[in-house]
Amino acid sequence: KAAVTFCSGTKASVDVSTLFSSSAGTATYTCTPTPTLLSGTTFSGTSTPSIYTIGVTYTSNSCSSTSSNTITVNANPTVSTGNDTSVCVNTNLPLKATVSGGKPAYTYAWAPGTNLSSTTVASPTFKSTTSVTTTYICTVSDTNSCVGTDNVKVTANALPTITPYIQVNGGTWLS
């Protein structure tokens, strides 16, 4: 039967007896490199990325046969969107999601999409015409469908208002 795969941090419980089939016999299961993850026929998930080998020995009429299968725990991508930042209104600000780990290729999803040039690229541009503060969450999925996220708060500050004054004929000041 097919091997089992899931992402680190996932609460997974796998009945290892479903990884094998046998015409007869009593089954004994093992797990390497971490035997404590196996209790009877239940493999309990782990946050540590690794490949776990599940071994089985079927015994019937003093004869035995062995086989193995794998459970793979894939690493999640790690995402960094940098420090919170601010700009003046009507100013382009490039944002960037830096990704490590996981398995490329990556897909990107920025939310909310307000004031962003795109929500599906690693480096969208922020630009707002009004004073606003928004926290953007970037979710990155890898080829294994494992996910990592990070967020960045962006503030667009209003420009200061300047009111010119003029003096009329050396007397009254007007705005």
Side-chain angles (χ1 to χ4, degrees):
K1 294 196 176 192
V4 174
T5 302
F6 58 94
C7 300
S8 63
T10 303
K11 295 260 185 205
S13 181
V14 178
D15 180 354
V16 297
S17 66
T18 63
L19 299 176
F20 307 95
S21 63
S22 175
S23 58
T26 303
T28 305
Y29 300 95
T30 60
C31 177
T32 55
T34 314
T36 56
L37 294 177
L38 187 62
S39 177
T41 62
T42 303
F43 175 89
S44 296
T46 176
S47 59
T48 305
S50 189
I51 296 175
Y52 299 90
T53 301
I54 305 299
V56 63
T57 301
Y58 286 100
T59 305
S60 178
N61 298 320
S62 299
C63 297
S64 63
S65 179
T66 61
S67 186
S68 65
N69 210 329
T70 58
I71 295 177
T72 302
V73 180
N74 293 309
N76 291 318
T78 301
V79 182
S80 175
T81 53
N83 296 324
D84 295 346
T85 190
S86 62
V87 294
C88 296
V89 296
N90 292 317
T91 302
N92 287 334
L93 174 67
L95 302 179
K96 183 174 183 173
T98 303
V99 183
S100 62
K103 183 177 180 183
Y106 304 114
T107 59
Y108 300 85
W110 290 83
T114 310
N115 298 317
L116 294 180
S117 59
S118 174
T119 59
T120 59
V121 296
S123 300
T125 299
F126 168 87
K127 184 177 182 181
S128 179
T129 59
T130 60
S131 179
V132 65
T133 297
T134 306
T135 299
Y136 292 99
I137 300 169
C138 181
T139 302
V140 177
S141 299
D142 70 3
T143 301
N144 293 322
S145 298
C146 295
V147 175
T149 62
D150 195 22
N151 63 65
V152 61
K153 182 167 62 172
V154 178
T155 301
N157 295 311
L159 297 171
T161 302
I162 301 172
T163 304
Y165 289 101
I166 59 170
Q167 189 175 27
V168 179
N169 294 325
T172 308
W173 287 91
L174 302 174
S175 62

